[in-house]
Amino acid sequence: IPAAAGAAAGMFAAAKPGLNDRPGGDCPELTCLVDIVTAERLAAARDRAGQLGIGADQVLIAQGAVTVEAYLRAFARYFGVGFEPLDGVPRSLCPLDDCRLLAATTHGMLTLYDEETLTLVIAPRGLAARRIATALRASPALARTIRLTTGERLNRFVLRHAAAALVDHAVHALGRRCSSMVAAPRRRRRGAKWLVLAAGLLALVQLAPAAVEQIAPGLALAVAAMLDGLFAAWLGLRILAAAGRPRPACKSAPCEARELPTYSIVCALYQEASSVRNLLAAIARLDYPREKLQVIFALEPDDRETPAAIEAHKGSLPVTCICAPAEGPRTKPKALNAALPFVHGRFLVIYDAEDRPEPDQLRRALQAFASGGERLACVQARLAIDNTRDGWLARMFTAEYAGHFDVFLPGLARMGLPLPLGGSSNHFRTAILRSVGGWDAYNVTEDADLGIRLARFGYRTTTIASTTLEEAPARLPAWLRQRTRWFKGWMMTWIVHMRDPRRLLRELGLAGFAAFQLAVGGNAFAALVHPLFVMALIAQYCAPPAGPTHGPSPLLLALCGGTALAGYLVSGLLGLMGLARRGWLDSAWVLLLMPLHWLLLSLAAWRAFFQLLRTPYAWEKTEHGLAKTSRLAEDAIRSLTALERHLTHFMRTARQPGGAGPSGGSFLAKRSANANTSARCRASSMLK
């Protein structure tokens, strides 16, 4: 059975392009639509299919001229092939085991075996319909061995009969691939004990310096010096990353439309009905052939509003909804893992509900992959804040993101160091992502963990100068919940990868090992230690002298005070550099509030520390759709206003005597009016 299935699959899916695949060549897949679609539309579909190197059926489906099921039923009738709904097919008729059945969604085909008859059920995509039609013309007897179905029906069949395999894949795939790199419950106790011990020592030394000095003179100073050294190293990495010049934007020639691969967009959504419309609009604005896009939404089983909103607003976008299994931790990485078997694009990108990527982002990522070699596994786009004017927290978020994604991460990539990825706009080679086990379902910052794991497997990550706008929490409760989750995930990531330090050092190298300690562990460490420095300063100033020679230690005061001041200055410098590179210096005043911001970060870090001990896998969701302002909308309005002024001036000039003449002026005025209307429509679409 596997051999027969492989032969059939090779006939329809793996055949090399022939004469029928040339631009302008014959499109036998359209013959079944002659009585359904107009000749003009068929001709246009044939031309576009030649330009894109896909079947003309995919063009018509992407344009909404015909649904997938209507086309396949028409194809089946015309060529005498059966259409298989798969609704009443029992599991016993499919000889594939659950793991292979789950993989059938990736390839778009499965086998059925009934009464010694092997049937190949195919959900055509790409050039499959053309190849099937060509094969049936040459050998009509093949019609008895194949059936057609839609991708949606195939997915439903697999989800119905391979649910246990999907749960196992979503929750345990990484554990089977590399058990030492998963944050499963049985793995956290030893790391938690070390965290408790370290935190206790820090608190003891920093909160009671006078007592420590009485017991062991100089111990408090020695410990403070050690902590200062670690903190200084953390600051040093940030300075080193900011010191280099930014790389110029990629200038390589854009890919021909025919050479563009299928690109999958994966979004994990939960209770995001209010954000779906804008997300779908942002995806629709991407400068990429819709025929070569696959959009997957990973949803939760108890969310009813989000699927309804997707159905209402998806239009002709090729959207697939996958319900993540209820078993296991309810986390974003588990939902992404559940969607991964259904991905059939060579590349995939992760977007969040509030993301607004630049239209050319997919093409820029492909250029980076083409120039970066086969070991380049991931490309991180730059994240920026859209609702900057919503308050000082949103402005501080803007400065933070500018410093992190426009200065710090590009600096790490330039030095060839591991990148702790951001949670969105990560572009992957799908095959490599699968080979490293996908995401850790138990880690609440799956992005940072995956970036380090890719480096441990010998793959590289880089950044591109393409922006995705996001919504930042502008109110303290939402901000605190989000930051708590981030800090908890960084601590968890540090614990997981430090289980075997010698192996980590061997896999990352000395520079990568140090960068991991400072970029991942250092973030949590700096936030945890900062209030201890502040309290040590207060204790030194306020504690009464224990004797005629005992009082505030000038050296200890200098160490604690200098470290805190250096942290503020370096963080402010990164934020200032990032804002300057974006031309957003009007928000730079918020950096004066850095001391207050650091205290809030420390509150989130200590809250995360105690959550890590009690509820390590609890996911505090960030609510979206609350923004009051939008940088994207403001830019669209300004552009529209400027265009209207320009066109108004142009029309007045055209009407003046001696300008373009009566007929020319009328013609130009009409063109200007049409352009004005078109611009209004585009701006209105952006605002929506």
Side-chain angles (χ1 to χ4, degrees):
I1 291 175
M11 179 182 300
F12 298 128
K16 294 182 179 180
L19 295 176
N20 290 332
D21 300 335
R22 294 182 304 175
D26 185 27
C27 292
E29 69 273 19
L30 292 183
T31 53
C32 62
L33 298 178
V34 172
D35 297 330
I36 302 174
V37 181
T38 64
E40 293 79 6
R41 194 153 199 172
L42 292 177
R46 185 181 296 110
D47 292 340
R48 182 164 176 80
Q51 296 168 5
L52 298 180
I54 60 173
D57 56 307
Q58 302 297 305
V59 175
L60 293 173
I61 291 169
Q63 293 174 350
V66 63
T67 65
V68 178
E69 183 152 336
Y71 169 75
L72 290 178
R73 287 185 180 275
F75 185 100
R77 286 193 302 269
Y78 186 87
F79 287 98
V81 178
F83 179 85
E84 180 55 72
L86 290 174
D87 291 334
V89 176
R91 177 68 177 88
S92 58
L93 292 186
C94 182
L96 303 175
D97 60 36
D98 284 355
C99 291
R100 291 181 181 272
L101 180 58
L102 193 60
T105 59
T106 302
H107 306 291
M109 61 182 70
L110 59 82
T111 53
L112 298 178
Y113 192 65
D114 185 19
E115 297 179 357
E116 300 184 357
T117 301
L118 176 69
T119 302
L120 188 66
V121 180
I122 305 173
R125 53 180 180 245
L127 285 165
R130 178 177 303 179
R131 289 166 175 161
I132 293 172
T134 303
L136 289 172
R137 280 180 171 180
S139 180
L142 286 174
R144 295 192 298 270
T145 64
I146 64 172
R147 297 177 194 170
L148 302 181
T149 192
T150 67
E152 183 179 358
R153 289 182 177 276
L154 178 61
N155 291 343
R156 287 206 302 264
F157 179 84
V158 171
L159 288 171
R160 186 164 61 248
H161 295 298
L166 183 61
V167 171
D168 182 70
H169 171 81
V171 180
H172 304 298
L174 177 59
R176 286 194 304 273
R177 177 66 178 84
C178 40
S179 60
S180 64
M181 297 186 193
V182 63
R186 62 185 178 86
R187 293 286 186 177
R188 68 181 176 90
R189 291 184 179 178
R190 185 178 177 184
K193 290 178 181 178
W194 281 108
L195 278 178
V196 171
L197 179 60
L201 288 175
L202 287 175
L204 176 65
V205 172
Q206 292 293 337
L207 295 180
V212 173
E213 283 189 319
Q214 291 294 328
I215 299 172
L219 179 59
L221 186 61
V223 173
M226 179 190 68
L227 296 178
D228 282 349
L230 295 174
F231 194 80
W234 178 73
L235 296 177
L237 177 65
R238 299 168 77 81
I239 294 173
L240 190 62
R245 292 183 179 181
R247 288 178 177 175
C250 183
K251 299 294 184 181
S252 58
C255 295
E256 295 290 338
R258 188 177 178 82
E259 299 173 356
L260 293 174
T262 300
Y263 220 115
S264 297
I265 299 172
V266 183
C267 310
L269 305 180
Y270 180 57
Q271 295 179 349
E272 296 286 4
S274 61
S275 303
V276 162
R277 180 181 180 183
N278 288 333
L279 175 61
L280 288 169
I283 293 173
R285 286 195 298 268
L286 290 173
D287 179 22
Y288 208 85
R290 188 168 297 187
E291 298 88 345
K292 292 190 173 184
L293 280 180
Q294 180 197 22
V295 183
I296 299 180
F297 289 137
L299 309 173
E300 296 293 336
D302 62 343
D303 186 1
R304 298 289 180 266
E305 292 78 11
T306 303
I310 293 171
E311 188 64 30
H313 299 297
K314 69 178 183 179
S316 60
L317 277 175
V319 174
T320 299
C321 292
I322 301 299
C323 188
E327 294 83 353
R330 173 169 285 193
T331 58
K332 174 184 173 183
K334 189 196 74 174
L336 294 176
N337 281 337
L340 189 56
F342 299 87
V343 170
H344 62 253
R346 281 175 51 200
F347 299 88
L348 72 88
V349 60
I350 306 300
Y351 287 134
D352 286 340
E354 79 278 18
D355 284 357
R356 307 291 178 266
E358 288 184 337
D360 66 344
Q361 188 172 114
L362 304 189
R363 291 178 181 265
R364 288 202 179 197
L366 287 177
Q367 291 177 357
F369 281 120
S371 59
E374 292 299 321
R375 303 302 293 180
L376 180 61
C378 178
V379 170
Q380 170 73 67
R382 299 178 182 180
L383 306 182
I385 299 304
D386 187 36
N387 59 321
T388 301
R389 303 183 189 279
D390 276 8
W392 80 271
L393 273 176
R395 288 182 183 273
M396 184 63 78
F397 224 126
T398 302
E400 266 190 300
Y401 262 32
H404 186 71
F405 288 100
D406 290 80
V407 181
F408 182 61
L409 287 187
L412 291 183
R414 187 173 55 251
M415 293 185 287
L417 298 175
L419 263 66
L421 299 173
S424 170
S425 299
N426 314 134
H427 300 253
F428 298 97
R429 293 186 191 270
T430 306
I432 293 179
L433 179 60
R434 288 188 171 121
S435 71
V436 301
W439 295 269
D440 184 356
Y442 291 94
N443 197 314
V444 295
T445 52
E446 77 292 339
D447 42 6
D449 170 75
L450 180 55
I452 302 304
R453 187 161 13 105
L454 286 171
R456 294 188 68 174
F457 277 91
Y459 295 108
R460 294 188 301 106
T461 303
T462 191
T463 62
I464 54 173
S466 179
T467 298
T468 297
L469 290 176
E470 290 195 333
E471 176 186 346
R475 300 177 67 101
L476 184 58
W479 181 95
L480 184 61
R481 289 192 296 270
Q482 185 184 68
R483 287 307 172 102
T484 297
R485 187 180 79 241
W486 291 0
F487 277 118
K488 182 169 63 174
W490 291 333
M491 296 175 193
M492 189 180 295
T493 299
W494 186 85
I495 291 172
V496 166
H497 290 283
M498 281 296 289
R499 286 177 181 147
D500 189 347
R502 286 180 295 181
R503 178 184 173 188
L504 182 66
L505 176 61
R506 184 172 63 253
E507 291 173 345
L508 293 183
L510 181 59
F513 181 84
F516 165 75
Q517 303 298 330
L518 299 175
V520 177
N523 275 339
F525 172 80
L528 288 171
V529 168
H530 176 255
L532 304 181
F533 279 126
V534 173
M535 284 185 272
L537 282 171
I538 296 173
Q540 283 289 305
Y541 271 115
C542 298
T549 60
H550 287 4
S553 170
L555 186 55
L556 187 60
L557 290 175
L559 283 174
C560 295
T563 300
L565 181 61
Y568 300 150
L569 291 177
V570 171
S571 297
L573 176 63
L574 257 68
L576 188 65
M577 291 178 64
L579 291 174
R581 290 181 184 180
R582 288 198 168 271
W584 295 350
L585 286 175
D586 58 328
S587 296
W589 62 265
V590 78
L591 296 173
L592 297 175
L593 301 177
M594 189 66 70
L596 173 60
H597 185 248
W598 270 50
L599 288 176
L600 293 178
L601 288 174
S602 297
L603 174 63
W606 280 102
R607 186 170 179 262
F609 175 82
F610 290 112
Q611 272 196 15
L612 183 62
L613 300 179
R614 294 182 291 105
T615 55
Y617 311 118
W619 187 283
E620 292 187 294
K621 183 184 180 300
T622 303
E623 188 176 357
H624 301 125
L626 303 178
K628 299 177 181 178
T629 63
S630 170
R631 184 183 302 276
L632 182 64
E634 292 170 0
D635 290 345
I637 291 173
R638 282 195 294 268
S639 299
L640 178 59
T641 302
L643 181 61
E644 286 181 332
R645 284 200 304 266
H646 173 76
L647 291 176
T648 301
H649 174 73
F650 183 78
M651 292 168 66
R652 288 175 179 173
T653 304
R655 292 193 185 102
Q656 290 178 359
S663 59
S666 175
F667 172 73
L668 291 175
K670 187 178 296 184
R671 289 193 61 182
S672 300
N674 292 338
N676 196 357
T677 302
S678 176
R680 283 179 177 274
C681 292
R682 288 196 301 271
S684 175
S685 174
M686 290 176 65
L687 294 176
K688 289 178 182 179

